[in-house]
Amino acid sequence: MKIPFLITARLKSTRLKRKILLKINGHELLTHMIKRIKKSKNIRNIVICTSNLKEDVNLNKIAKRNLVHIYKGSANDVILRLHKAAKKFNAKYIINITADCPLIDYNLVDKLITIAKQNKYDYTSNVYPATFPDGLDVSVIKFKVLEEAWKKV
């Protein structure tokens, strides 16, 4: 079973403005991230989960150019945005990371997906304890757990 990869992305960064659009080697950080994720053997869809805000419209171009989906939802409620995107793509599990992690390791993604599915874990992550450098954080979440969290918020 392949699962959707949901990238939470907005352009409202305060410390480094529009950081996911900054270019390295002629490509936006978000594009580098998408290219790395596409190498995963266990990903069904890549979805940029962004807001309905006018400032985030530039993410449409990146999604189209990279042949990935885009979901627009709440600007302030990330769990709601993830929940609705996961529901739209009929996810049993999702993988979520923020868009400012362009160096994501697709091998690590595949390994965590395998661990989550084989053990039927609700939540699988390499975040705690912090054994990987910041930016390589990956979480695999069962949809039903995401839905429960959304209902409690």
Side-chain angles (χ1 to χ4, degrees):
M1 159 184 45
K2 292 188 175 191
I3 63 178
F5 198 109
L6 306 182
I7 303 169
T8 49
R10 294 188 326 161
L11 298 176
K12 197 176 181 177
S13 41
T14 54
R15 291 175 290 168
L16 181 56
K17 303 287 184 201
R18 303 165 58 91
K19 64 186 165 198
I20 61 175
L21 296 182
L22 295 178
K23 292 188 176 183
I24 295 176
N25 248 4
H27 299 285
E28 301 91 352
L29 286 176
L30 183 55
T31 296
H32 284 286
M33 180 182 195
I34 291 167
K35 286 180 180 183
R36 293 181 67 81
I37 295 167
K38 282 185 174 184
K39 293 179 180 181
S40 167
K41 295 176 178 92
N42 294 306
I43 299 300
R44 177 180 65 205
N45 297 315
I46 298 173
V47 183
I48 300 172
C49 298
T50 191
S51 78
N52 287 316
L53 296 177
K54 184 180 177 183
E55 65 197 49
D56 290 329
V57 75
N58 289 330
L59 298 177
N60 291 345
K61 294 174 189 170
I62 293 175
K64 188 174 184 176
R65 188 171 56 242
N66 287 286
L67 304 173
V68 299
H69 301 276
I70 193 152
Y71 176 83
K72 294 181 181 187
S74 173
N76 300 315
D77 190 338
V78 177
I79 292 179
L80 175 62
R81 201 177 336 144
L82 288 173
H83 176 263
K84 288 191 171 191
K87 198 169 190 173
K88 179 178 179 177
F89 289 92
N90 299 316
K92 289 189 180 12
Y93 284 91
I94 64 152
I95 297 180
N96 172 242
I97 60 173
T98 58
D100 55 357
C101 299
L103 300 177
I104 186 67
D105 182 348
Y106 59 90
N107 291 309
L108 179 60
V109 168
D110 285 340
K111 185 174 184 171
L112 285 174
I113 291 170
T114 299
I115 291 168
K117 291 192 306 189
Q118 283 179 347
N119 296 289
K120 299 180 182 169
Y121 290 149
D122 290 341
Y123 178 81
T124 309
S125 180
N126 67 338
V127 177
Y128 300 106
T131 54
F132 289 86
D134 196 23
L136 294 177
D137 308 337
V138 179
S139 297
V140 181
I141 309 162
K142 262 189 185 174
F143 175 75
K144 70 178 187 174
V145 172
L146 178 64
E147 189 164 51
E148 288 173 25
W150 169 72
K151 287 177 181 176
K152 291 181 180 184
V153 174

